[in-house]
Amino acid sequence: ETGVTQSPTHLIKTRGQQVTLRCSSQSGHNTVSWYQQALGQGPQFIFQYYREEENGRGNFPPRFSGLQFPNYSSELNVNALELDDSALYLCASSLFRGAQETQYFGPGTRLLVL
Amino acid sequence: DQQVKQNSPSLSVQEGRISILNCDYTNSMFDYFLWYKKYPAEGPTFLISISSIKDKNEDGRFTVFLNKSAKHLSLHIVPSQPGDSAVYFCTGKSTFGDGTTLTVKP
């Protein structure tokens, strides 16, 4: 059974640029969630995808967007990068979309915006 | 408004003793809570959960207590081991607290 993987592991961008982060779900999981974790804080929910449809969104602006593919892998896109976007981005997959579902997290992508 | 709060950023205990990590929440709609553990350079991993219809859930050395009237959870680790040293997050409905860093000293 393959766990959740994310790529790249680290990334450096400059303000105003665009970035795409990728996530492969755990085998058999059809739901993926993205989180942003700033230094010293807990993960903040960005959005969730269930069977290729957005299934909930946190308090993030529209320049944060996502996709889920038929194989349930996912992308997080961030446009017009700002310095405050520097953070660890975590992807988590689960079998169902319910609030009671245990999520399995990838190791994260660390993004630095200069 | 932070709906899940972990007011102790850090906790240090001696190996073999009890670790108690606390969590408060404000949203009465939360009906299920999970605790995750995070080691450096890894994603959070699930530890234990509790439904709001229960007041206690136990799994080996880990026990979670829920006091709905006080909107308070606590995670007890007995006995604590050096390998338990990590950041612990309390969550309700994809809302995470800021975590408590537990250090267990040999």
Side-chain angles (χ1 to χ4, degrees):
Chain A
E1 188 177 80
T2 308
V4 179
T5 60
Q6 293 186 243
S7 62
T9 55
H10 295 82
L11 201 53
I12 300 176
K13 291 285 188 178
T14 55
R15 196 170 46 182
Q17 284 189 312
Q18 178 266 342
V19 69
T20 297
L21 310 182
R22 294 178 175 83
C23 171
S24 291
S25 303
Q26 183 158 317
S27 177
H29 287 184
N30 56 20
T31 302
V32 65
S33 301
W34 285 92
Y35 294 83
Q36 179 195 67
Q37 186 180 10
L39 205 58
Q41 296 182 17
Q44 300 292 310
F45 176 68
I46 303 175
F47 44 57
Q48 183 182 78
Y49 279 82
Y50 170 69
R51 293 189 172 183
E52 304 177 59
E53 298 282 335
E54 188 176 292
N55 181 51
R57 189 179 182 93
N59 189 26
F60 280 81
R63 59 188 185 85
F64 285 78
S65 63
L67 280 174
Q68 187 181 30
F69 300 100
N71 66 354
Y72 303 132
S73 66
S74 177
E75 285 182 355
L76 165 65
N77 298 290
V78 188
N79 293 323
L81 283 167
E82 300 176 359
L83 298 180
D84 284 348
D85 295 334
S86 296
L88 178 69
Y89 288 85
L90 293 163
C91 167
S93 73
S94 56
L95 185 55
F96 301 111
R97 56 181 169 171
Q100 299 188 6
E101 189 62 23
T102 300
Q103 295 185 319
Y104 294 82
F105 284 83
T109 294
R110 188 161 295 282
L111 172 65
L112 177 61
V113 182
L114 301 176
Chain B
D1 175 37
Q2 199 166 10
Q3 296 187 52
V4 177
K5 289 186 180 179
Q6 295 177 255
N7 291 318
S8 297
S10 62
L11 175 68
S12 181
V13 301
Q14 207 66 35
E15 182 179 6
R17 306 294 287 267
I18 185 171
S19 296
I20 300 176
L21 294 89
N22 294 304
C23 175
D24 297 298
Y25 64 97
T26 58
N27 192 333
S28 299
M29 298 299 291
F30 289 167
D31 58 0
Y32 197 78
F33 301 89
L34 303 95
W35 285 87
Y36 287 86
K37 179 169 75 171
K38 186 180 187 300
Y39 293 117
E42 295 182 11
T45 55
F46 170 73
L47 187 59
I48 192 169
S49 62
I50 189 166
S51 166
S52 60
I53 62 173
K54 295 186 175 182
D55 55 17
K56 177 182 173 181
N57 188 27
E58 191 172 354
D59 183 2
R61 297 185 297 114
F62 302 91
T63 303
V64 57
F65 296 91
L66 173 61
N67 183 332
K68 281 187 68 179
S69 60
K71 293 192 177 70
H72 178 82
L73 298 97
S74 61
L75 173 67
H76 293 210
I77 306 173
V78 182
S80 301
Q81 300 173 354
D84 297 329
S85 297
V87 180
Y88 289 78
F89 292 104
C90 169
T91 80
K93 281 199 175 183
S94 298
T95 302
F96 281 68
D98 285 339
T100 296
T101 300
L102 173 65
T103 303
V104 180
K105 297 179 180 179

